[in-house]
Amino acid sequence: MIQEFKEFIAKGNVMDMAVGIIIGAAFTAIVTSLVGDLINPIISLFMGGIDFAGQYVQLGDGEFASITAAEEAGVAVFAWGRFLMAIINFLIIAFVVFLLVKAVNRVKDAASEPEAEEAPAEPAGPTQEELLIEIRDLLKKQA
């Protein structure tokens, strides 16, 4: 059973998946920073200084200056701004993953094309002239 497990882990698909998960986690941090530090300020600039990540609807009693203060006080909040930012993160990640998959497929296709070209060419048959000469010689022998 341990040998089967070692074989399973050593398969390329499992290793590829593990590398993909690790890179995906690191990539998510990059995209989160991209959205939070670059895209949100631009959106905020066009929306009159509104920071969507801090937008919420308070569901409990009291008045709080920010969503963080409301959460620290234990008041329930409907954090629609965070949800909007999560959607933007997802769309950016999905688009970049699409571009990566497209690039990987292009590389795989390019790698498989030379193999088809390296296949040995079939031997060429006799030309039309060679066949006609052979027929002529056979007819001369019969005559």
Side-chain angles (χ1 to χ4, degrees), residues 4-76:
E4 287 178 298
F5 181 70
K6 286 180 184 178
E7 290 173 8
F8 172 76
I9 292 297
K11 285 184 181 178
N13 294 341
V14 174
M15 298 306 286
D16 292 344
M17 184 178 68
V19 169
I21 289 170
I22 292 168
I23 290 174
F27 184 71
T28 299
I30 291 170
V31 171
T32 301
S33 175
L34 171 75
V35 172
D37 299 333
L38 301 177
I39 293 177
N40 282 352
I42 293 171
I43 293 173
S44 177
L45 179 69
F46 289 111
M47 299 299 289
I50 298 173
D51 177 20
F52 283 107
Q55 297 299 308
Y56 68 101
V57 174
Q58 186 173 313
L59 302 176
D61 294 332
E63 287 193 26
F64 302 97
S66 68
I67 189 171
T68 307
E71 288 174 335
E72 286 175 358
V75 175

Side-chain angles (χ1 to χ4, degrees), residues 77-90:
V77 294
F78 184 75
W80 64 269
R82 288 184 190 163
F83 181 70
L84 182 63
M85 291 302 106
I87 290 172
I88 292 172
N89 283 351
F90 169 76

Side-chain angles (χ1 to χ4, degrees), residues 109-141:
D109 290 344
S112 65
E113 286 176 11
E115 293 174 8
E117 293 174 6
E118 294 176 9
E122 293 184 24
T127 63
Q128 186 175 1
E129 288 82 19
E130 292 171 339
L131 289 174
L132 289 173
I133 291 171
E134 188 178 336
I135 292 171
R136 181 195 66 190
D137 293 343
L138 286 173
L139 288 173
K140 279 184 183 181
K141 285 182 184 178

